[in-house]
Amino acid sequence: MSRYIDVGGVVRGLLRLSPSSVLLKENSGSLSIRDNGDTSDAGILAFRPALQITASRNLAATDNSRHLYSTSTTAYTLTIVAGTFSLGQEFEIAQLGTGVVTLTAGAGVTLNGVVASSKSLAQYQAAFVKCYGSDVFVCYYGT
């Protein structure tokens, strides 16, 4: 069975479901669709709650599994603080406005995949960040 995902009247992608697909609400607030009732980390789709960035701030545990975005012309800095995230936790950042959003590693945090422990996102750029150990992260980004 195929279904289109409609978000705010815009088709975002094609979703193929089997008769045994299950929709789960995760503790993080995200929704996942699993096949054959499998509740392992191998979900086939996840919906991330969106949160608009309106000022520079330290990232919090509540940002786990979130899609953070900015539409501002103002520059913001988001800092990953030591001890905030655990292995496997992740978040996304998107800059839709003309201001620059900078992701930076706080004291004791290793942010891999970037230069000098930070990544600046210009308009229409996005990053996906995943925790791979005690205060060790990888930042994947693109335009």
Side-chain angles (χ1 to χ4, degrees):
M1 162 187 348
S2 295
R3 295 284 185 250
Y4 284 96
I5 302 169
D6 185 331
V7 180
V10 178
V11 175
R12 299 291 184 187
L14 180 65
L15 173 64
R16 297 191 186 280
L17 300 176
S18 72
S20 59
S21 294
V22 177
L23 179 65
L24 301 171
K25 183 175 185 290
E26 307 290 352
N27 288 336
S28 64
S30 65
L31 297 175
S32 297
I33 295 175
R34 310 285 184 188
D35 197 30
N36 297 320
D38 178 13
T39 58
S40 70
D41 289 336
I44 58 173
L45 180 68
F47 298 93
R48 297 182 185 279
L51 179 67
Q52 187 170 10
I53 302 163
T54 58
S56 294
R57 67 178 179 87
N58 291 337
L59 292 167
T62 55
D63 292 322
N64 176 45
S65 295
R66 290 238 172 150
H67 174 80
L68 307 170
Y69 71 97
S70 172
T71 59
S72 180
T73 58
T74 304
Y76 299 130
T77 299
L78 300 176
T79 304
I80 302 173
V81 179
T84 303
F85 295 95
S86 302
L87 175 66
Q89 292 186 323
E90 59 197 26
F91 57 92
E92 300 168 343
I93 304 169
Q95 172 53 317
L96 305 176
T98 56
V100 174
V101 173
T102 301
L103 175 68
T104 189
V109 173
T110 301
L111 182 58
N112 296 298
V114 299
V115 176
S117 295
S118 71
K119 174 60 184 164
S120 293
L121 301 174
Q123 189 172 28
Y124 305 124
Q125 290 186 319
F128 172 81
V129 181
K130 186 162 185 111
C131 182
Y132 284 97
S134 179
D135 298 320
V136 175
F137 297 81
V138 174
C139 178
Y140 307 91
Y141 54 91
T143 56

